[in-house]
Amino acid sequence: MTDRFEGTIAFTARYEGDGAARGEMEVQPGILNPFGTVHAGAMIWFADVVATRLVLGDREARQGMAGFPLAVNLNANLLANTREGTLTASADYVKQGRRLSVVRTRVTRPDGRVMVEMTTSHIPSD
């Protein structure tokens, strides 16, 4: 048996200064799993991009840029899920370094319940 999956994902990610980044993602059909809840991969992608936005700071991301913060380790705990609403991601530093930065990102659903607690480690590309 072969299954075909297709979908789209759309969200915002912004650097807010003072060591914080935030993002929003509307639950939409393209990010739902066959059970009808948000796919774990969509939540992790969302959290990873918001964490990367934090490490980038106010720099513009460009394809092939030197110093792009590459994720080298990712640990995600999937704690809850939802079928509707706008998800919010909040990223803050655990450690901000010149060569290694560690970021904790939480994705919450509209009622404030944490869906994903993720920690990522980033190093600058050369």
Side-chain angles (χ1 to χ4, degrees), residues 42-111:
M43 289 188 280
I44 290 170
W45 184 6
F46 177 41
D48 175 55
V49 171
V50 174
T52 300
R53 171 65 4 218
L54 173 62
V55 181
L56 273 169
D58 58 5
R59 295 179 292 156
E60 179 182 349
R62 296 180 323 281
Q63 185 174 357
M65 71 183 284
F68 182 82
L70 300 170
V72 295
N73 188 40
L74 181 148
N75 182 350
N77 292 293
L78 305 169
L79 306 171
N81 212 317
T82 191
R83 297 175 186 273
E84 61 188 12
T86 301
L87 309 183
T88 302
S90 302
D92 303 283
Y93 281 109
V94 174
K95 175 193 186 302
Q96 182 179 9
R98 289 185 309 119
R99 292 293 304 160
L100 175 69
S101 292
V102 179
V103 176
R104 181 176 299 116
T105 305
R106 287 184 168 182
V107 176
T108 57
R109 60 189 198 186
D111 65 3

